[in-house]
Every structure is written in C-alpha cells, then in structure tokens.
Amino acid sequence: MKNTWTIAKREFNLFIISPIAYVVAFMLMLILGIIFFANMLIAFVNTYDPTVQFIIAPLVTLFLFSTPALTMRTIAEEHRSGTLETLLTAPVRDWELITGKWLGSFMFYLVVIALTWVFPIILNFFVDPGIDQGLLVSGYLGVTLLVGVFVAIGVMTSSIFNNQIAAFFATLGILLVFWMIAYPTQIAASGGGRSILSYLDLSQHFYNSFLIGIVAVKDIVYYLSVTVLALFLGTATIEARRWR
Amino acid sequence: MIEVTGLTKDYGPRRAIDRLNFNAHKGEILGFLGPNGAGKTTTMRILAGYMPPTSGTAQIGGFDLIKNSIDIRRMTGYLPETVPLYNDMTVFDYLKYMADLRHMKNGDDQVEEAILKVDMKDRAHGYIGNLSKGMRQRVGLAQAILHNPEVLILDEPTIGLDPGQIIEVRKLIRDIGKTKTILLSTHILSEAQQICNRVLIINKGRIVVEDEPEKLQMRISGSHNILLRVSGSVDALIPFINKLKGITEINKHGDNTLEIKVSPSVDARPEIARAAIKNGFDLLELRASNISLEEIFLQLTHDDSMLASADRVNNAVEEE
Ligand SMILES: Nc1ncnc2c1ncn2[C@@H]1O[C@H](COP(=O)(O)OP(=O)(O)OP(=O)(O)O)[C@@H](O)[C@H]1O
Ligand SMILES: [Mg+2]
C-alpha cells in the first residue's frame, strides 16, 4: 500500500514536468472555454438561462478523447525503457504498481478537473439566482468517477503494449466501444439484450443520471466496479507477461 | 544462501537454460562465464524475481523463488544488464525513490552512502539523462547495493567503466563479497579470476564446468607450462632438457623459444635454467606460462560449427 503511494507520487510528478500534460490540459481548457462561451451566447440570444450541463457534457467528451494520450505512457514506457525490470525486481507487488500508476494519473486529472471549476464560477455571475448547485455537484461527481474509469482502462491497456502509440489507439478504441455500446440498441432492438448493453454502456450511467442531477448508488457502484476490474486486469497482464 | 536445482527456462520453443544446478554460500563471489546467449542474464533475471522459471526451483536465504518472491526481492540487490534508469530524475531522487519502494527508514543517509561508494558525489543532483555510460553503470550499481542486501546479483557490473573505476568497483565487490553472497556475470575472464571464489562456465544453457579459477587451470591443462627463451637456436638444447625429471612434452616456438610441459608435482625451473647455462646458452626468459582462463573458456565452449567456419575463413585467407 505504501508502495502504491510512492509510485503515485512519482507518476504525478512526471505529469507535472511533462510538456504533453500541459499541452493536453491547455487544449482541454481552450476547447472547453470556446464551447462554453458559444453555449452562453446561444442561450442569451434565445433568452433562456444556461445551465452547468453546458460545461459538464462537453467536459466528459473531452476527457474521453484526452485520457488515452496521457495514460498511454504509464506502463508501456517502463516496458520499453527496461525500467520495469527494476520495478519488478524490487519488493513491489504487481497490484501496487498498477494502482500506483492509476492513482498518480488520477491525481493529475483531479487538478485538471479543479481547473475547470472556473467555468461554473463565471456562469454563476450571469444567471439569476445563481447556478443549480445540485446539478453542479452531481455532474462533477459523475465526471470524477468517469475519469477514474478512463484512467484505469488507460493504465490497463498501457500494461499490454511496449509501444505508446499502440496503447493510445487501443485505449481510445476500448473507451469508444464502451461509450457507445448501447447506441445501436436504442435505434432498433428491445428486450433483454438491450438492457444488458445499456448497463454495460459507460455513457448511459452518466447522461441518464449524474448529468441530470441524479446520484444513484447503482451508477456509483458500476463506475467503481469497472475501475477495479480494469486495475485487476492490468495486474493480471503484468503477471502474465512475466511468464512469457 | 543460493541453492538452484533443475532451473530451466524456455522462451517459446527455445530453451535458454537447461536444468541448472548450483549453490552459492555466504561470503562467496560466484562468477558466471559463458559466450553470448549462454543464458547468464536469463538465470540472473529468474533469481532476481523478474520472471519465473519454466521448471525447477531455487531457494535464496531459505525462501522459495516463487512462493516467497517478495521476501527474496527484499533481501536481494540486482543490477540488470541494460542498467535501466529514469532519465528525467536526478541521481539522488532516483535512489531515494528506490529506497522508498524498499521502505528504508533512514533512506536519505543510505542513499548518500551508496552514492559515495560508487563515487558519484559530484553528480548526485544532476539528471541521469546527462550522465555518461560508465556513470549510469555506477548509478545502477548504487541502486543494487542501496539496502545493503544479503544477496547481490550483478549482470556484467564493470562493463563500460574506465580502468580506474574498474579497479574501484572490483574492490567494492570484493569487500561486499566478504560478508554477503554475490553472483556476477562477466566477459572479462581476468576479472573472474581476480574477484571470484568460484566460476561457473555455462554454454548453451548448460553448466560446463564449475570450480575455483586456479583449480580450473590445473584441471584443464593437467600440467605446468614453462616458457624458455635463450639466445641462439634452441634445437641443441632440447635433448638436454628432455633428460630432466618430470618433463612431459616440449614444443618449439620460433627459433629460440621452447614451451615445456611439466607434471604438476615438480618445479623444474631451476633444473632447466642450469641446463641451459651449462650448455652455453644465454638465458633470456624463463617463466611459468599457465594456460589462461581464456583458453579454458574457448576449449570448453567452442562450437564445432564455429571452428569449422573459422577454418574456412583461414583457408580462404591463405589461398589468396
Ligand atoms: N525475452 C526473450 N525472448 C526470447 N528469447 C530470449 C529472451 N531473452 C533471452 N532470450 C534467448 O535466451 C538465450 C539466453 O539469453 P541470455 O540473455 O540469458 O544470454 P547471456 O548469457 O546473458 O548472453 P550475453 O553474454 O550476450 O549477455 C539466447 O538464445 C536469447 O536469444
Ligand atoms: Mg547477458
């Protein structure tokens, strides 16, 4: 457990000194800012009050696409450079390594999430009698849980590859599949298959609950389970690669 | 301290090491010799806990290689062949990171100490990415000895070091080896001769021979070799030397040099010297020329196909 924290701290510091993290964070804030002001403008022109959903919905999409770029490095780079050999011959358990990598990246995202609070604060000045606090809290809770899932899947995928680019595309692929897995069933189909797919769908648990102000235990449990499962699979991958 | 039994590792269809058996005791430095691809790194990686063997077992300090992997890794220091390091960290921060992963109480002090031991004090706060190859090697070594481990596994520890550093590092290894157990691999045979209590020559994944370096020389050659150089042609001298006690074979090297093989029980040098002078030769050189570890190595690990191809190359050169 102590090792998890040691590894997480190092991982977090790596983000702090790496240019790609700043580029990603900057682009994210920039795009979010543009979308935010565009939405504000549309809302005022059409004379209705903008809500925090205008911030949170695009934020989730931006995280969906940016996480792979930041998690691709985590394990793949240790593998490529050989430093994994030092880590795996130190008294560090495989799960401590994976959870440490996850926690460090997640902490960096918490900072980015905190930065985006500037938009709700701005919004609060423009609407009367202020923004809906409930929507804000449930939305950000959902975003935070989802980012935990994204990062866990990213770290898991990174443990499979030696190559960062391969890890990037594989993570993006996995995330997109689980983001849209229920989409086809909404158009056609019905019955059992549909409910299983929409249960597995990452976005359904967000758009139909956290985004509209519902905080349900089943959604929280779902996101936490997916995170734990991904970290477990990541650990199993490390373990399996030793045996090759 | 280290007991290896039947250790085998397959990479897919290729067998890298094949049923290795060996022991190493406390206070012993065991040298691993063998040509490229012999399986030295594979064996060391397994013992360091990086990967499990395909079959066979090993006990280190009473712990089982697979069941107590964490315990073994705790008491073992390991320098990987490729010396992997984080280029974005300073030497101190890197060692502190490794110390933290080992839950070391007074990590800072021990990091300082390790840095001193490998003579990297002046670069302690510089980035690893800016270090030269030899310096990186020393940082890797510092990482291995950081926690004062009972067992030290060093994969080619002196490669890339300058002559001064080689001497320092060998001294360090010998010092540590007095009270701990060290397993090291090397391609420098004189190094094995100097610092190892015992060497183990492996070839194609199997142990070919295992002994103390000196005994190995005796065993392989089965005799002492003496080199004699005199002024003038040595032909006239051969019959006289042949008459001396214990001489088993005489070979002529060039006009004025003889290689004399003597049975190990006698020291024939005084007699040979007297014979040369008595018969009117000026003695230019007289020394023991034991078969070198290099020769033993080549003899034990030679590959027929390699010799054949070497012959072919030689013939081709001669024909030209
Ligand atoms: N990861 C791997 N995958 C497949 N084969 C491997 C792997 N690592 C080593 N081998 C093979 O196992 C054999 C032994 O390799 P090893 O690295 O142990 O040799 P070595 O004795 O350390 O050689 P060197 O003196 O060159 O360091 C070689 O045939 C090598 O090709
Ligand atoms: Mg090797």
Side-chain angles (χ1 to χ4, degrees), chain A residues 2-3 6-7 10 14 17 78-79 81-93 242-244, chain B residues 9 45 48-53 70 73-74 78 80 84-86 88-89 94 97-98 100-103 143:
Chain A
K2 192 165 170 256
N3 288 339
T6 305
I7 292 169
R10 147 121 182 104
L14 252 186
I17 61 169
E78 302 253 12
H79 228 292
S81 72
T83 44
L84 200 60
E85 188 169 352
T86 334
L87 281 181
L88 294 185
T89 52
V92 177
R93 291 183 168 82
R242 284 179 187 263
W243 285 91
R244 271 196 327 127
Chain B
K9 174 75 192 177
R45 281 183 158 174
Y50 180 57
M51 58 189 185
I70 292 281
R73 286 186 249 160
R74 212 166 268 143
Y78 174 49
L85 303 168
Y86 298 106
D88 56 86
M89 286 175 122
Y94 168 65
Y97 177 56
M98 296 312 292
D100 287 345
L101 289 178
R102 292 187 175 276
H103 304 183
Q143 180 273 130

